[in-house]
Amino acid sequence: MFLVFPDSTAIAAHLSARLQDIIRQDPQATLGLATGGTMEPIYARFVQDVRANGLDVSKINSFNLDEYVGLSGQHEQSYAHYMQQHLFSQLPFEAAHLHLPNGLTTELEQHCQEYSAAIAACGGVALQLLGVGTNGHIGFNEPGTPFDSGTHVVALSERTRIDNSRFFDSMDEVPASAITMGIADILSAREIALVVTGEHKARTMLNYQEGGVTPELPFTALKQHANAHILLDEAAASLLDPSLCHRPLISQAA
Ligand code: F6R
């Protein structure tokens, strides 16, 4: 079943409310975070709601999905920089609780193992936010990634580098590899919210609906998760079978 909302603003309101519920229930909850254009309205709404409601976020833990190899946290296109800009600098988080893969590590293999272990040591992810690439990638798990993968280094596909080149001055500057949480890490979350917005993702979603579960479309791994929700705007849902689309009643309450 697909949850279809009028637009990205309505999805942001819904997920902000869900995130706040989780934090109210467990102030030390561990959140799995993503970057990318899809997440921006969600973080903006969450920041607004947390401020308005005076919610304490100082004890939560977070793990980001991925980071480019070779970019420092100061680089404007690093995911560390994105998170600072859109979320971490906006609310009184405890910096030591906020985790991203380190794109500058020289011990890549060891770092990846430690990252997966650190997620487990925090009690696992309560809610994993996800976006999807037009080729079906989640995190930077490109087509062909085994579903049992932990955190690992990936060579980015040409499709993904082209998609992301809009954030860099030229194609040459788009990093060739990244560190990503693996599909097994993602599936270990107790709840997953995949957010898909925009007409350019409509065909990707049709592939999800029509396909089976295959590493060639990494996000089809979510079909194996008992508590994964797919939230779409009308544009991304435009090619889906209407009988599989549920339109939740919209509440403006935060
Ligand atoms: C980002 C990430 C990626 C993006 C995906 C969609 O941390 O893991 O999988 O979620 O590339 O990106 P946008 O939202 O920019 O379309």
Side-chain angles (χ1 to χ4, degrees):
M1 187 62 81
F2 302 109
L3 300 176
V4 182
F5 293 78
D7 51 30
S8 58
T9 307
I11 297 176
H14 177 89
L15 278 179
S16 170
R18 182 71 194 120
L19 285 164
Q20 291 172 84
D21 277 350
I22 287 170
I23 297 167
R24 282 190 198 100
Q25 278 168 23
D26 177 8
Q28 300 184 42
T30 298
L31 304 176
L33 303 178
T35 60
T38 312
M39 293 297 135
E40 290 180 20
I42 297 165
Y43 295 142
R45 178 63 191 252
F46 178 70
V47 167
Q48 179 190 320
D49 290 345
V50 167
R51 285 183 185 149
N53 297 332
L55 188 68
D56 178 12
V57 294
S58 66
K59 296 186 188 63
I60 67 163
N61 299 290
S62 73
F63 286 86
N64 264 79
L65 283 167
D66 42 17
E67 180 60 285
Y68 289 116
V69 169
L71 298 193
S72 81
Q74 274 69 50
H75 190 290
E76 283 200 0
Q77 296 309 332
S78 72
Y79 289 168
H81 186 273
Y82 170 106
M83 291 308 299
Q84 280 300 328
Q85 183 185 356
H86 293 286
L87 187 61
F88 296 161
S89 67
Q90 305 294 318
L91 294 169
F93 293 106
E94 177 60 50
H97 296 174
L98 309 173
H99 305 87
L100 281 109
N102 176 4
L104 291 184
T105 185
T106 51
E107 304 293 338
L108 278 166
E109 198 59 40
Q110 186 185 339
H111 181 63
C112 289
Q113 284 176 18
E114 288 173 358
Y115 200 75
S116 286
I119 296 169
C122 275
V125 167
L127 173 61
Q128 176 69 55
L129 296 179
L130 284 184
V132 64
T134 53
N135 65 358
H137 75 224
I138 46 177
F140 268 128
N141 294 286
E142 300 286 7
T145 307
F147 286 174
D148 61 359
S149 54
T151 303
H152 61 287
V153 178
V154 282
L156 302 185
S157 75
E158 203 55 16
R159 177 73 258 158
T160 296
R161 292 187 72 235
I162 291 167
D163 281 355
N164 288 4
S165 63
R166 65 191 190 276
F167 300 116
F168 292 82
D169 290 337
S170 73
M171 255 313 266
D172 291 346
E173 290 184 24
V174 184
S177 58
I179 301 170
T180 184
M181 274 165 62
I183 295 181
D185 295 316
I186 292 170
L187 293 180
S188 72
R190 291 188 283 286
E191 179 177 340
I192 298 175
L194 172 69
V195 184
V196 194
T197 54
E199 200 183 344
H200 63 300
K201 302 254 177 97
R203 187 147 294 278
T204 308
M205 288 312 303
L206 183 62
N207 292 339
Y208 181 93
Q209 178 192 288
E210 291 182 340
V213 175
T214 167
E216 290 316 309
L217 282 175
F219 72 147
T220 60
L222 302 187
K223 294 183 183 188
Q224 296 181 331
H225 193 282
N227 197 20
H229 306 276
I230 304 185
L231 298 84
L232 309 100
D233 66 1
E234 292 286 356
S238 57
L239 299 178
L240 296 176
D241 178 348
S243 72
L244 300 176
C245 295
H246 172 67
R247 290 177 169 72
L249 288 174
I250 305 297
S251 151
Q252 291 309 315

